[in-house]
Amino acid sequence: MRTLLVTGTGGAGRTTVAAATAVAASTPGRRVLLLSADRDASLDRVLGPVPAPAGGEGAPRTDETAALPIAPVASVPGLWAARIDAAAAFRADAGAVQERLGSLLDLLGAAPLDPEELTELPGADAFALLRALRDTAGGWDLVVVDLPPVHDALAALALPAQLRRYIARLVPQERQAARALRPVLAQLAGVPAPGAWAYEAAARVDRELATAQAVIEDSATTVRLVVAPGTHAADAVRRARTGLALYGHRLEAVVANRLLPADSPDPWLAELAGHRRKEVRALRAELAGTPTALHELPHLGREPRGAEDLARLAALPPAEVPEGPAAQPWTTEDRLAAEGHLLWRLPLPGATRDTVDLVRRGDELVVDAEGYRRILPLPSALRRCTVAGAALRDGALQVRFAPDPGLWPR
């Protein structure tokens, strides 16, 4: 399955570009799914009303996807669409948790909450997005995902790896030994130790997160970044490129949206179009020498409505990429013989020295860049080394590791 994640700056027209991309990629015989995480029903305004019933003639049917309301788009053969309902997903998850904790709630004398009482909590949107990515894994030729602005999108996409790391720390694999010691721990601590349900719940959540993470990190998953050319567009793209690279996402294309015609007879519009074209040239300079393409979409003079308008935008479908697991974003180079150290290299295009920081913490490296943070597990060889220095060169963070005599094999 090919997955295209569409994000960008606020107000740049992400939903419109996502819909236009899905329309351009839809052909009879293909199965393309457009997923929107936008709450303000902009997908309905751009594509036309998306019906609520699940499924549709020719749509892949599995037990997982049945929970997501997927409907065919009548005006575009081969295209289905679905809105991610964060409130409904939260109520479903909360109800399932209450059901699993039924005996414990009875023991505590607690009254379960009715579905009408459940109001989504902050962060529900991110979890609903992850559930949708998990439930739509497989069965589609292409899934185009309309994401929130880039900073929120990266935070949501990083959740599976972060939460799985927390689960591994809080409920380690040695849980069988902990289960055997539960009566002893309860006597020593004076509080009951976690029951088997806690370990089973942690394992189930880990499996669900792993499915979403596999989609996000697959080599067939790429990102399309939408910007409206303006004074700070090139700088916004630079910061976004840094954040995407830090998390290992591949930026397939930058879309300069709503460009005005350069030959307008109106002096005011001609001047504005000239400024926009100047910003497009700055975007080209920012992307020069990279595999990231720059797509230019015209302003139609009105908000696009329906498949005809979306087709007029001439959005390019995503380029084909090889399938299989994506490579790690970092590489390790052996320079022991020549320089006495190993070199760990993490591409960070667009990053500047005053916005990059890193801290070694046990077997992990904490990297901060342009306001983004990621905790990276070190390869086994580097875990037996000490950090000898670091530098930001040629768009990459390069960290030198010297072998620790006490840990390095002789």
Side-chain angles (χ1 to χ4, degrees):
M1 183 182 74
R2 177 80 164 85
T3 305
L4 180 66
L5 307 173
V6 180
T7 182
T9 56
R14 302 181 311 277
T15 300
T16 298
V17 172
T21 302
V23 168
S26 298
T27 56
R30 292 194 78 198
R31 292 174 299 188
V32 178
L33 174 63
L34 173 60
L35 273 178
S36 179
D38 201 349
R39 282 178 171 263
D40 64 1
S42 55
L43 182 62
D44 286 340
R45 295 196 298 271
V46 171
L47 197 57
V50 176
E57 186 67 29
R61 285 180 174 272
T62 66
D63 293 338
E64 292 81 11
T65 57
L68 187 67
I70 299 173
V73 179
S75 57
V76 186
L79 178 62
W80 285 260
R83 289 189 304 270
I84 300 171
D85 190 338
F90 176 81
R91 288 193 294 268
D93 288 340
V97 170
Q98 284 194 142
E99 186 177 347
R100 287 194 290 266
L101 299 181
S103 58
L104 178 60
L105 295 176
D106 292 340
L107 180 64
L108 297 175
L113 295 169
D114 294 328
E116 295 77 11
E117 297 180 82
L118 295 171
T119 303
E120 60 188 297
L121 299 176
D125 297 75
F127 286 102
L129 170 63
L130 296 178
R131 167 189 266 198
L133 290 176
R134 180 200 71 193
D135 291 350
T136 55
W140 301 93
D141 297 310
L142 171 67
V143 177
V144 180
V145 188
D146 170 29
L147 291 176
V150 62
H151 198 282
D152 294 336
L154 284 176
L157 297 174
L159 265 181
Q162 290 176 350
L163 294 178
R164 295 187 70 199
R165 177 177 176 272
Y166 297 157
I167 290 173
R169 288 284 299 274
L170 298 174
V171 189
Q173 292 297 320
E174 298 80 8
R175 57 185 180 274
Q176 295 296 335
R179 187 181 303 176
L181 294 173
R182 189 161 59 242
V184 178
L185 295 173
Q187 289 183 359
L188 293 176
V191 295
W197 64 267
Y199 299 109
E200 293 167 358
R204 181 178 60 255
V205 171
D206 183 74
R207 288 193 300 270
E208 294 173 352
L209 291 170
T211 303
Q213 184 179 357
V215 175
I216 294 168
E217 296 181 352
D218 193 271
S219 65
T221 298
T222 56
V223 177
R224 189 165 284 194
L225 185 69
V226 184
V227 295
T231 307
H232 305 293
D235 191 49
V237 169
R238 179 187 62 78
R239 292 194 302 271
R241 289 178 64 213
T242 302
L244 289 166
L246 177 61
Y247 288 105
H249 302 301
R250 289 177 303 149
L251 181 60
E252 176 203 73
V254 172
V255 179
N257 195 22
R258 300 170 180 159
L259 293 181
L260 300 173
D263 56 353
S264 173
D266 185 288
W268 184 85
L269 286 178
E271 184 176 359
L272 181 59
H275 284 297
R276 294 287 175 88
R277 291 292 169 183
K278 182 179 179 181
E279 290 301 322
V280 170
R281 289 195 292 272
L283 289 175
R284 287 195 182 281
E286 175 66 28
L287 300 175
T290 74
T292 302
L294 178 63
H295 296 169
E296 301 179 20
L297 298 188
H299 199 303
L300 298 183
R302 62 181 186 281
E303 292 299 319
R305 292 287 185 272
E308 256 186 60
D309 282 355
L310 293 174
R312 287 184 60 197
L313 292 177
L316 297 180
E320 295 297 330
V321 294
E323 298 182 357
Q328 294 288 1
W330 61 83
T331 58
T332 305
E333 184 179 344
D334 187 349
R335 295 187 178 180
L336 288 175
E339 302 175 19
H341 64 257
L342 298 170
L343 188 67
W344 183 88
R345 187 176 184 276
L346 173 66
L348 288 178
T352 57
R353 292 184 179 183
D354 55 345
T355 62
V356 175
D357 193 14
L358 70 155
V359 176
R360 168 79 179 269
R361 185 186 180 280
D363 293 339
E364 299 171 326
L365 204 65
V366 183
V367 182
D368 290 279
E370 294 292 341
Y372 300 97
R373 167 175 290 191
R374 187 180 182 189
I375 301 176
L376 294 164
L378 291 173
S380 58
L382 300 186
R383 296 175 188 177
R384 300 190 295 271
C385 299
T386 59
V387 176
L392 188 66
R393 293 175 183 165
D394 301 324
L397 175 63
Q398 301 182 5
V399 187
R400 300 188 303 277
F401 286 84
D404 185 336
L407 300 175
W408 195 260
R410 296 181 181 274

